Amino acid sequence: MTPAKANTTKALASTPGLRELARLGIEVSLHPYDYDPAADAVGLAAAQALGLDPAFTLKTLMVEVDGLPACCVIPSNRQLSMKRVAAAFGGKSAAMMLPAKAERLTGYRVGGISPFGQKKAVPTAIEASVCAAPKVWINAGARGLLLGITPTDALRSVKARPAELLA
């Protein structure tokens, strides 16, 4: 499925994540949409706005595992299992990171956090069930902008591991 609004990274390389992907030679498609700050679930709202399957429209969640930062990328229509998150990163406990801390750590605003081009690289896991898909959509680093990428390129670009993260 290809949304009507699509550009290439060469047209819009405006976020740290897009610049990092371009530096790595990874081509992505860009999909702008009207961001709704009042949406209950930003990822689901993005999927709906672009006519995408929410199972392959991924959200980026910042967590802390045994007090250390990590990044999880999962389908927008699902929830994290903190027990599985802790196990995926070799820890004993996991919790969601406070929004202000996530913004400071990543350099992005909540609603626009991307796993790509974060200010400080942290261990990252992508939900294993989406890793066989031909393409997934992930925040490009700005509210109202998703990028389309192959899961293989997403994993490689942030040195992520596939993991079972879902509740």
Side-chain angles (χ1 to χ4, degrees), residues 17-135:
L18 291 172
R19 288 190 294 274
E20 177 64 11
L21 291 168
R23 186 189 70 75
L24 294 171
I26 296 173
E27 195 158 320
V28 300
S29 57
L30 296 181
H31 306 274
Y33 66 95
D34 291 327
Y35 175 78
D36 180 4
D40 288 334
V42 174
L44 289 175
Q48 183 176 14
L50 292 169
L52 297 170
D53 183 341
F56 300 105
T57 306
L58 309 182
K59 57 186 173 183
T60 305
L61 302 172
M62 299 305 294
V63 297
E64 292 183 281
V65 178
D66 295 342
L68 298 174
C71 178
C72 296
V73 183
I74 66 168
S76 61
N77 61 347
R78 301 295 302 275
Q79 298 298 316
L80 279 177
S81 161
M82 290 302 166
K83 184 177 181 178
R84 287 184 169 185
V85 169
F89 293 102
K92 293 182 182 191
S93 67
M96 291 300 298
M97 187 178 288
L98 293 174
K101 186 173 184 178
E103 289 182 342
R104 279 191 311 275
L105 183 74
T106 65
Y108 294 122
R109 293 172 51 202
V110 169
I113 293 178
S114 177
F116 313 109
Q118 292 185 3
K119 254 174 40 175
K120 181 179 183 209
V122 299
T124 301
I126 298 176
E127 168 53 37
S129 65
V130 303
C131 290
K135 192 172 190 179

